[in-house]
Amino acid sequence: MWRVILVDDEEFVRAELAALFPWRRYQFELAGEAESAQAAIAQIAALQPDLVITDIRMPEMDGLAFISWLGRHHPRLVVAVVSAYHDFPLVREALRLGAADYLMKAEATATTAGAFLERIAGILERRHSSRHQQEELTSNMARYHRLATESFWRDTLTRASDEPELESRARQLGVVLEQAWFGLIFIHVSGERSGRLDPVALRRELEAQIGTRWDWEGNWKLIDFGRGDFAVLASRMGPRPAAEAAAKLQEIAGRLALNTAEVKRTTCASSELCPFPDLPRSFREVRQVNLLRLYHREGECIETGELARLRQAAPPSTLELLAAWERILREAEPAAVHHFLDQVFAAILPRSLSPEAARGLVLEFINTLRRVSLEYQVRWEEGGSGEPDLPEILEQAESIQDWRIQIEDRVGHYLRSVGANAHPQASATIRKALAYIQLHFSRDLSLEEVASHAGVSKSYLCRVFPEYAGEHFRDYLQRLRLERAKELLRFTNDHIYEIAAKVGFWNSRYFSKVFHEAVGMTPADYRRVPVYETSAAPGLKAGEE
C-alpha cells in the first residue's frame, strides 16, 4: 500500500477529499492529514509517506514553498496538488518545481479522483521499479567490487598473476599501493564446530572477533582461501613502520588463537611489514609457519622464530631415506614397512624437518612407491581410489598422520598386489629406465636417451615400456612433469614461467596449453585456491580501502 498525507488548510475540504478519493482501489492508504505545510513536515518522519497531496494557497508556508522544501529534503517523495481554476498559473509553477500531477477541486468527482490516483499509482510504480533497479545495480556493483578486490589480494598473495597485471588491476579497483606497508596474520580454523558452520557464517564470526580485538593503527581486510584458511591483510600508509607494528600484529594473532573441544584456531603473524612486491614472500612465510600445526600444534599462536629454529636443525639425508624406503618396498615385508613409517613420522619429520620439507619428502616417498609399483605391474586404479590430486590432498591435511594415511593406503594396495599376484619383478632394463626418467624428467628427455642408458634399443624399450608403465613413454613423461608442476604451483610462489622451465617445458605458453588439456584449467586457475563465494561484508576498518 502507498502511504499518503493529505494537506489543506480548510478542514471541510480535507474531509471531502478524504472521503472522495477511492484510496484502497488503487492501493493507497491515507496515513495522515495536515492543516498546514509545517504540520505535514512534522508528520513526514513518523509516517514515512510515499505521496503528499497538497493545496497551493495556504497561510505561512504556501504549497509552492512546501513543494520546493520537499524536493530538497525528501526527493523520493511524490507530490501532487489540488487547486482551484483561478490558481492555474500557480499549478503550472508547482509542476515546474517537481509536482507529478494535479487535480482541479471543481472537477473532483469519484471518476476524476480515481483517474488521478491511477495516474499517481503508475508514477509511483515506475519510480519504485527504477529505484529498485538502481539500488540492485548499485548493490551488485558494490558486491562485484568487493569480490574483485578480494580476488586481487588472493592472486597477489599466491602469485597467481604477474606483477604488471596486478598493478593494472589495482588501478582499476582503486587500490593504492604506493607508500603502502602490509602485514599478515594467517588463521587456520578446524574442529568439529567449524565443519558445521557454512562458509558465510564462519567468515562473519571471524570478522566479528577480529573487529573486537583490532587495536592496530591501520586498516584490515579478511581474505578467504577456503578449507578453513584465512589471511588478515593489515595495511597502513606512510614511511616504513617501526618493528613495534609487527609486534602488535603478533599480539593480535595471539588473541585470535582458540583451542576448545569444538573449534581450534591456529594463528601466526608476519615478522615485519613489507611493501607490495614482497607480499607473496611474506604470505608464503606465514603459511609455512602456520603449517607447524600439523605437528600437533593446533589452536596455538605460533611464532615465526619456531620455523627458523626447525630449519636450522640438522636435516636427515633425503637420499639415504629414499634408498632405505625403496629397499623396504622391494622386500615387501609389512612389519618392516610400518616400522620404517613409525620412525619417519614420530622421530624424523616433527623434529628435524619443516612442514614444507616434510611434505616434499612425503611426495618423494609416494613417487618412489609409484615407480616400484610399476616394476611389479601394480596399477593404482586397482586400489579403488584411482590417482586423485595428491598435492590437493596433502594440503588439506590437519596433521602429519593424515599424510601417513595417504602413504599407508597406497602401500597396503601395493603389498596386497605383490603378494596376491606374485608378478615377476621387472627386468633390470625397466628398473634402470624408470629410475632414469624419474631423475631426469625435468629436462629435454628422449626415449632414445633413456634406452641408451638402459642398454637396449629404442624400439625394444618402446615396445615393453607400456607393459609396465601402463602408458607410452611420452604420456608417462608428460604425466610426471604435470604432477611435479602441480606440486610447485600449490606449494611455491614461483612464477608460472619458472615452473614451466623447472618441469621440462621451455615455452610457458605451450606448458599452459598442455596443462589445461590435462587438468581442465590453466596453471593460474589451479594455483588459485578454491574459495567459497560469500556475501559477508569486507573487513575494512571504518569502511576504508
Side-chain angles (χ1 to χ4, degrees), residues 290-306:
N290 200 279
L291 280 176
L292 286 171
R293 70 180 184 272
L294 299 173
Y295 295 164
H296 313 293
R297 298 288 305 278
E298 284 185 298
E300 300 180 22
C301 177
I302 305 173
E303 295 184 2
T304 55
E306 296 187 40

Side-chain angles (χ1 to χ4, degrees), residues 22 33 74 120 128 207 379 386 481:
E33 298 180 30
H74 298 280
I120 297 294
H128 177 75
E207 285 182 325
R379 297 287 181 263
R481 288 172 169 172

